[in-house]
Amino acid sequence: MTDHAIMLRSALTETPTVQRWLIAVALLFLAFFLFLPLFAVFSEAFRNGVGAWWEAIIEPDALAAIRLTLLVAAISVPLNMVFGIAAAWAIAKFEFRGKAFLITLIDLPFSVSPVISGLVYVLLFGSGSLLGPWLKSYGIEILFAVPGIVLATIFVTFPFVARELIPVMQDQGTSDEEAALSLGASGWQTFRHVTLPNIRWGLLYGVLLCNARAMGEFGAVSVVSGHIRGLTDTMPLHIEILYNEYNFAAAFAVASLLVGLALVTLVLKTAIELRFAD
Amino acid sequence: MDLGIQNVSKAFGATAALRDVSLSIETGELVALLGPSGSGKTTLLRLIAGLETPSAGAVFFGDEEASRRSVQERQVGFVFQHYALFRHMTVLENVAFGLTIRPRHSRPSKQEIERRALDLISLVQLSGLEGRYPQQLSGGQRQRVALARAMAIEPKVLLLDEPFGALDAQVRKDLRHWLLEIHERTHYTTLFVTHDQEEALELANRVVVMNEGQIVQIGTPDEVYDHPAVPFVHRFIGESSELPVRVENGQIWFDDCPTGLASDRAGSGLLFFRPHQVEIAPEGSRCLAARVIGSRRLAGTRRLELSVGQSNRHVEIDVPLEHPVAQKQVVFFRPKVWTLFPTGDKEQARPETVGAKLVFPRSAAGGTLRHYEPSVS
Amino acid sequence: MTAAVSSSRWRFREPGVIPGFGLTFGFAVCYLSLVILIPLSGLVWRSSTLGWQDFWSLASDPRTLSALKVSFGSALLAALINSVFGLVVAWVLVRYRFPGRRIVDAVVDLPFALPTAVAGIALATLYAPNGIIGAQLAGLGFKVAFTPAGIVVALVFVGLPFIVRTVQPVLADVDREVEEAAATLGASRLKIVVRVLLPGLLPAILTGFAMALARGIGEYGSVIFIAGNIPYFSEIAPLLIVIRLEEFNYAAATAVGVVMLSISFLMLLLINLIQSWSRRRYGS
C-alpha cells in the first residue's frame, strides 16, 4: 500500500490497532453480559444430564406453568395486536390534534415499572377496593387468579405491536390506500389487500416481541398472581419458586425453554431484517 | 498555485474510473470538469483533494508531489455536492471549524477566528444568519455556508463537486453569477464538477470534457463548443444532429446525393451540425432534402424534425417562427457551420470544422464585477 | 399543517378520504383507557385518599428513601456504563466488519427478548462468589452478587440494547462526506471523532441513556436474584412495593408506587424534550 493510501485510511477511519482494540472491548463486554448468561442457563440446565432436564419439565407443576403461560400469551397477544393495528392505523393514516400525546400514552407502559403495573390492578381489584369485593360477590375472581395475570400481562406488553407498526405505516404514507379507494375498494378490502401486505413483516416482528415479553413477564405477574403452585404460577414464577427452593437444575431447565423462545424470537427477527435488506 | 495531474489512473476493483488522465491548471483559473455521470470527474476531484489514492500517476501542487501529503495537510477547500455541513454547529461554527481545530501554535486567536469567519459569511452574503443551524437554512444558503467554510482555511485550490446539482433552477442561475463574482474577487484556483454543459460554458475559463474515465477535450468554452475534438463532445455539448457521409472529389455526399458542402478529405465520415446553424436552400440547389415529420415551437424559433434520405436519418433544424417552410412537407437545407469527423482512417483523424468563427480564449482574470441580488430568502 | 391555510376553524381531524378513523381511533382510545389509564389513575386516586401528611411520612420513610436511592443510583451508574460500552458496541457494529458480526448484532436484542427472571438467575449464578465470573472477582477482592454492584450488573444487562439500538441507526446515517469535509478542513481523525461525530450522536446517546435509566429504575425481575435484597443496602424500590403488598400494607405500597410513577413520568418528559430539542436543532 502506498504512503498516501495509509494516510488516507488513517484520516477517514481508525488505525487497524485501534479497530482491533475497540472490537475486542465490545466483544468482551458482550461476552460478560450477554453470551455468558446464555451459556450459564444451558450449562446449569443440563448439569445433571438430559434425563434430569426432561424430568424437571414434565413435572406436573412445571407443565401447569407452561400451560398457563401459553394461555396468557394466547389471550393477551391477539388483543394487543388488534389494538396495535387500530392505533397505528389511526395515528399513521390521519392527522388529528393530540397525536403526539396519544403516542406518548401508548409508550407509557415502557417506562412504568412492571411492579407498578401489577400494583395498579391489586389496588383496583384488591380487597380494599370497590370493584374487587363486588365482583367477588358474583363469583368472579380477578386478583390471584388467571384474569389478573392476563390483565397485568396486557398492561406490560401493551405498546409492542403499536410501537413497531406506527413508524412502518407512517413511512408508507397514504397514497397506496388512496389509490385502492379510488379504484373502488371498500375500506376493509383496502386494509386487507393493500395495507396488510405492506406491514406484515413489521406486524410479525411486533407480535414476536409482544409474545416474548408476554411469556416472560415476571414483575407484574408476580404481584397479581398470588403464587398458587400449579394454579397461578406462570413459567417465570415457577422458575423463581424452584430457584428459591435451591432446586437450581430444575429452575434452569424451565428457564432454558424461555431462553429457547428468546433465541427463536431473535432468529426470526434477524431473518425478517435480512428479508427487508434485500 | 499551479495544479498538475500526471498520467493518473484509478481503478475501483475491476472497474477503471480514470484512465491515464493528465491535466495542468494555472493559478487563478476557473476550470469546469464536464461529463456525463460515471465519466470519472468526481473521482478526479477527490483524487486532487486526497480523498482517493491514485492507482497510478501523480498529483502535483506546484512543484511538489502531493502523494506524501495527507488530506488534512493538502489545504484544499472541498465543497461537497450535498454540502456535508456539520449539523450540530451554527453557521459561524461551521465556517470557523477549519481554524478552530488547528494546533495551538498555528491557531489564530478566538477574536481573529471569529472576525475571519464573519468576513467570509458576509462575503457569501449570509450576514445575520451566523447563529442559525444548517437545518434552518435553504438549499442555496447551505451551499454558500459550505463554500465559506471551504474558503476559511485559505485553500490552495478550491474544489466544488456538482456545486449546484441539488438546487432549483432559479437558485442555480443566481448562484452561478454569484460564484463567478466570488472567483473574480478572490482568484482562488477553482475546479468544479458539473454534468450541466450550460453551467460549464457560462462559468469556466476552461472546460475539461470527460467521458468514460478519460479527458476527451480541454479548451475554452468557445473551443469545445465550436471546435469539438471528437463526436462525443459535439453530441454532449449543445444540440447536435449527425449524418454519415462520404467525401468524393472534394464534395460531401450523403446517400448518393451531393450536399453542397465541400471538403478536401476523402473517405467516409460523420457530418455534425447544430439545429440553429443551418440555412434553408432553394429547391434544386445542391443541398440536403428532407421530409418534415414533426414541428415544435421552441421559445423564439420553430424546431423541425426531419427525416433525411432513403435511410431515413433523423435530424433537427431550427427555422424562424413565421418561415413558410414550416408548413411544407419537404424542406431543403444546408448546414452553415459543420464539423466533419472522419471515420476509419487514422491518418486523418483530426476533425475539420467549417464556418465557425475564430475563438479567443477568455482571460482568467479581469472582467467586470456583476451585481448580484440574492433572490433566496 | 394545512389547517392554518385551509381554514381558521378549529378542527379535531384533517379531512381525508381514508375510512376507519372513528372505528380505529375509538377502539384504541377505549382500550388504552381501560387497560392503562383507568388502572393508573386508580393508583393516583388511592394515594390522594392517603392525605398529604400520611403520604409524606410513608414516602420519606428511611427504608423507602434508601430503596429509592439504591434503585436510582444503580440505574444511573448502569446507564452511564451502557452509554460508554453501548456506544463502542454500536460503533463496532456499524463501522467495522469482523467474523460473527451478524450474530453479535442479533444478540444485542437478547435483553429485550429474554425473560427478566431468567436473566436474573443466570447473572446471579455467574456473579455469585462460587460462579464462573464471581469466583474470579472474589479472588481479586470484589464482591458483586448480593451487593449494589450486582444490581448494576443486572441493570447493565437490561439497559444495553436501549443505547445500542438508538445510536446504531443514527451512526449508520452519518454521511461519510461529513467526515471527509472535516478532513479536508485539516481535522485529524481524533478531532473528527470528538468534534464532529460524537456531538452529532449526542441526542441519540442521551435518548438511549434516559430510556435505559427509566427502565433500570423500575426493573425488578433481573435484579432481585442477584441483589441479595438487604434492607438499607441492596433493596430496590420495586421490591419494597412487593414486600409492602405482601404485608397487606397497601398505603405504603401506594406511596412508593406514586413516587416511582412520578419518576417514570419525569423520565418520559425528559426523553420527549431531548427528542424535540434534537428535532428542532438538527431536523431529525
Side-chain angles (χ1 to χ4, degrees):
Chain A
M1 199 179 280
T2 63
D3 292 354
H4 181 256
I6 293 167
M7 278 188 300
L8 179 58
R9 209 176 50 182
S10 70
L12 296 177
T13 183
E14 291 71 43
T15 62
T17 323
V18 174
Q19 291 198 13
R20 274 194 283 272
W21 271 104
L22 283 175
I23 291 174
V25 166
L27 291 183
L28 211 62
F29 179 76
L30 294 178
F32 274 100
F33 286 96
L34 297 187
F35 287 99
L36 272 178
L38 216 51
F39 168 77
V41 171
F42 287 111
S43 84
E44 293 291 324
F46 293 102
R47 170 163 294 214
N48 302 331
V50 179
W53 177 80
W54 183 244
E55 286 298 317
I57 290 185
I58 58 162
E59 191 260 336
D61 286 349
L63 281 181
I66 293 170
R67 262 197 301 274
L68 179 59
T69 297
L70 291 175
L71 174 71
V72 168
I75 299 170
S76 52
V77 173
L79 279 174
N80 281 339
M81 186 179 93
V82 172
F83 161 75
I85 293 171
W89 181 271
I91 286 169
K93 305 291 178 196
F94 302 94
E95 289 303 322
F96 56 90
R97 309 258 169 163
K99 194 193 228 176
F101 183 63
L102 182 61
I103 295 176
T104 306
L105 284 182
I106 291 174
D107 274 348
L108 195 58
F110 273 152
S111 52
V112 170
S113 171
V115 168
I116 295 197
S117 322
L119 172 69
V120 294
Y121 287 108
V122 171
L123 296 180
L124 204 60
F125 298 109
S127 52
S129 69
L130 296 172
L131 223 49
W134 180 73
L135 285 170
K136 204 165 189 164
S137 67
Y138 290 93
I140 301 171
E141 294 272 4
I142 302 279
L143 218 51
F144 311 132
V146 176
I149 296 174
V150 171
L151 280 175
T153 305
I154 288 177
F155 187 109
V156 171
T157 58
F158 180 80
F160 282 92
V161 178
R163 247 298 131 247
E164 221 33 66
L165 284 187
I166 290 169
V168 175
M169 279 202 191
Q170 273 175 336
D171 269 4
Q172 269 149 10
T174 54
S175 46
D176 285 11
E177 282 78 12
E178 281 161 357
L181 291 166
S182 74
L183 295 170
S186 71
W188 171 250
Q189 283 171 323
T190 302
F191 173 74
R192 171 76 189 73
H193 296 288
V194 177
T195 312
L196 200 56
N198 277 332
I199 61 167
R200 58 175 183 242
W201 296 113
L203 180 63
L204 178 60
Y205 182 41
V207 168
L208 278 173
L209 275 183
C210 184
N211 179 62
R213 184 71 194 266
M215 290 193 172
E217 179 49 31
F218 178 71
V221 171
S222 160
V223 171
V224 296
S225 128
H227 302 271
I228 308 163
R229 220 173 158 148
L231 276 180
T232 62
D233 264 351
T234 59
M235 286 166 80
L237 298 179
H238 190 61
I239 293 170
E240 183 199 17
I241 292 174
L242 292 170
Y243 189 85
N244 287 342
E245 288 171 348
Y246 300 102
N247 191 352
F248 294 140
F252 279 103
V254 180
S256 69
L257 292 181
L258 288 174
V259 173
L261 172 75
L263 291 181
V264 168
T265 305
L266 292 188
V267 167
L268 285 174
K269 180 213 167 212
T270 309
I272 293 170
E273 277 175 356
L274 281 178
R275 229 195 123 89
F276 269 129
D278 287 344
Chain B
M1 190 195 47
D2 293 358
L3 192 65
I5 290 132
Q6 260 182 23
N7 306 102
V8 163
S9 295
K10 174 70 185 174
F12 293 106
T15 47
L18 287 177
R19 290 182 289 176
D20 195 23
V21 166
S22 295
L23 174 66
S24 74
I25 291 162
E26 283 164 36
T27 309
E29 270 194 293
L30 178 54
V31 174
L33 291 178
L34 174 66
S37 57
S39 58
K41 50 199 195 306
T42 295
T43 306
L44 182 56
L45 205 68
R46 289 171 61 86
L47 272 165
I48 298 169
L51 290 168
E52 306 282 357
T53 308
S55 310
V59 176
F60 287 89
F61 280 51
D63 295 328
E64 190 198 8
E65 219 234 282
S67 67
R68 269 167 288 121
R69 298 231 166 235
S70 65
V71 194
Q72 286 95 341
E73 293 165 334
R74 286 198 190 188
Q75 224 182 331
V76 294
F78 200 108
V79 177
F80 290 84
Q81 188 177 0
H82 301 287
Y83 324 132
L85 296 178
F86 308 131
R87 56 195 196 127
H88 61 280
M89 296 183 200
T90 61
V91 169
L92 182 66
E93 287 164 342
N94 262 288
V95 175
F97 181 82
L99 298 174
T100 52
I101 48 112
R102 283 195 184 162
R104 186 156 299 150
H105 62 85
S106 60
R107 182 167 58 207
S109 73
K110 255 193 163 154
Q111 295 79 14
E112 172 66 9
I113 290 176
E114 185 170 321
R115 192 189 59 74
R116 277 159 69 173
L118 286 173
D119 277 356
L120 282 166
I121 290 169
S122 101
L123 177 69
V124 299
Q125 294 163 342
L126 288 175
S127 294
L129 299 183
E130 58 268 9
R132 296 262 190 105
Y133 285 90
Q135 290 300 322
Q136 301 165 323
L137 301 177
S138 71
Q141 290 169 330
R142 286 183 209 172
Q143 173 64 58
R144 288 185 268 160
V145 176
L147 188 64
R149 183 179 70 176
M151 289 193 294
I153 59 168
E154 293 173 335
K156 295 175 176 160
V157 50
L158 206 50
L159 306 173
L160 300 94
D161 187 6
E162 296 273 2
F164 313 119
L167 300 169
D168 300 343
Q170 188 53 46
V171 181
R172 266 173 109 112
K173 268 198 176 147
D174 292 341
L175 278 184
R176 262 190 228 167
H177 292 294
W178 167 82
L179 182 69
L180 210 52
E181 184 191 339
I182 294 245
H183 181 254
E184 279 160 0
R185 223 187 262 184
T186 60
H187 289 304
Y188 280 124
T189 309
T190 306
L191 203 58
F192 72 97
V193 157
T194 181
H195 61 262
D196 181 341
Q197 31 136 335
E198 228 179 277
E199 208 163 277
L201 296 181
E202 181 179 347
L203 283 180
N205 310 129
R206 276 204 300 159
V207 179
V208 177
V209 188
M210 296 188 67
N211 187 32
E212 292 178 342
Q214 286 175 313
I215 292 177
V216 288
Q217 187 171 7
I218 303 174
T220 61
D222 290 340
E223 281 165 354
V224 295
Y225 189 88
D226 293 330
H227 296 273
V230 288
F232 170 81
V233 176
H234 203 293
R235 290 187 197 114
F236 189 71
I237 297 174
E239 290 170 305
S240 80
S241 289
E242 58 189 86
L243 290 171
V245 294
R246 213 160 24 79
V247 184
E248 267 172 36
N249 307 328
Q251 275 281 336
I252 298 179
W253 294 68
F254 169 72
D255 265 8
D256 299 328
C257 297
T259 57
L261 306 175
S263 170
D264 50 10
R265 308 257 175 105
S268 58
L270 278 173
L271 179 73
F272 278 80
F273 56 91
R274 303 196 187 277
H276 65 278
Q277 294 176 327
V278 297
E279 57 187 353
I280 299 299
E283 193 174 342
S285 64
R286 285 188 163 180
C287 61
L288 286 158
R291 273 184 304 114
V292 180
I293 53 176
S295 164
R296 282 174 285 143
R297 163 86 186 231
L298 275 193
T301 56
R302 190 166 294 284
R303 166 75 45 93
L304 298 182
E305 216 176 301
L306 307 175
S307 169
V308 194
Q310 284 127 18
S311 48
N312 283 328
R313 298 273 166 182
H314 281 205
V315 299
E316 292 183 326
I317 65 168
D318 289 349
V319 294
L321 272 182
E322 308 302 336
H323 200 286
V325 81
Q327 314 301 325
K328 296 193 179 155
Q329 306 222 308
V330 177
V331 174
F332 301 91
F333 72 97
R334 201 181 293 127
K336 283 192 294 190
V337 180
W338 48 269
T339 305
L340 180 66
F341 293 99
T343 47
D345 194 350
K346 275 181 186 151
E347 284 289 304
Q348 298 179 326
R350 272 181 59 82
E352 175 189 24
T353 303
V354 173
K357 285 184 222 103
L358 278 174
V359 277
F360 299 98
R362 185 162 14 148
S363 70
T368 52
L369 271 184
R370 256 164 270 204
H371 183 63
Y372 171 70
E373 289 283 352
S375 73
V376 271
S377 56
Chain C
M1 312 171 268
T2 49
V5 184
S6 59
S7 102
S8 56
R9 194 164 62 86
W10 193 92
R11 229 192 230 133
F12 172 61
R13 172 169 81 89
E14 295 304 318
V17 295
I18 295 177
F21 179 75
L23 182 72
T24 55
F25 181 80
F27 173 71
V29 169
C30 287
Y31 188 76
L32 175 78
S33 310
L34 273 177
V35 177
I36 308 289
L37 299 183
I38 293 174
L40 273 180
S41 52
L43 173 66
V44 178
W45 177 76
R46 203 51 181 274
S47 76
S48 69
T49 62
L50 281 176
W52 184 244
Q53 205 81 49
D54 284 352
F55 175 80
W56 184 245
S57 71
L58 286 168
S60 63
D61 169 68
R63 189 167 168 192
T64 308
L65 285 183
S66 155
L68 284 169
K69 219 182 285 171
V70 169
S71 275
F72 194 81
S74 42
L76 192 67
L77 190 57
L80 283 172
I81 293 172
N82 271 332
S83 301
V84 175
F85 287 97
L87 178 64
V88 173
V89 170
W91 186 280
V92 163
L93 287 176
V94 171
R95 289 288 167 109
Y96 307 149
R97 294 290 169 267
F98 54 93
R101 190 182 65 91
R102 284 223 80 90
I103 296 172
V104 172
D105 193 14
V107 170
V108 166
D109 273 342
L110 184 70
F112 281 159
L114 192 71
T116 52
V118 177
I121 60 171
L123 288 169
T125 306
L126 280 175
Y127 287 87
N130 58 353
I132 304 173
I133 304 172
Q136 301 296 320
L137 291 172
L140 297 169
F142 293 109
K143 195 166 179 296
V144 174
F146 318 127
T147 70
I151 302 174
V152 174
V153 167
L155 296 185
V156 167
F157 173 86
V158 165
L160 176 67
F162 288 100
I163 308 271
V164 179
R165 293 300 185 225
T166 45
V167 172
Q168 218 175 355
V170 180
L171 186 58
D173 259 11
V174 171
D175 195 346
R176 288 311 287 234
E177 283 191 350
V178 171
E179 285 166 73
E180 290 176 351
T184 60
L185 293 169
S188 66
R189 184 64 197 163
L190 187 67
K191 277 187 173 146
I192 295 174
V193 171
V194 173
R195 313 259 318 235
V196 177
L197 287 175
L198 289 186
L201 295 178
L202 192 64
I205 297 173
L206 282 177
T207 305
F209 174 84
M211 284 160 77
L213 182 62
R215 174 72 199 266
I217 294 170
E219 179 56 24
Y220 176 70
S222 59
V223 175
I224 55 163
F225 296 98
I226 199 174
N229 308 325
I230 304 153
Y232 300 103
F233 178 60
S234 62
E235 185 179 64
I236 54 167
L239 177 66
L240 193 60
I241 296 178
V242 173
I243 291 174
R244 296 300 186 217
L245 278 177
E246 281 167 359
E247 293 166 351
F248 296 104
N249 187 351
Y250 285 10
T254 306
V256 183
V258 165
V259 173
M260 292 198 61
L261 194 62
S262 323
I263 296 175
S264 298
F265 279 124
L266 279 178
M267 299 305 303
L268 211 57
L269 188 69
L270 182 68
I271 292 168
N272 279 325
L273 282 178
I274 294 169
Q275 284 178 339
S276 76
W277 165 74
S278 118
R279 241 195 317 274
R280 251 204 328 277
R281 180 177 276 194
Y282 306 149
S284 70

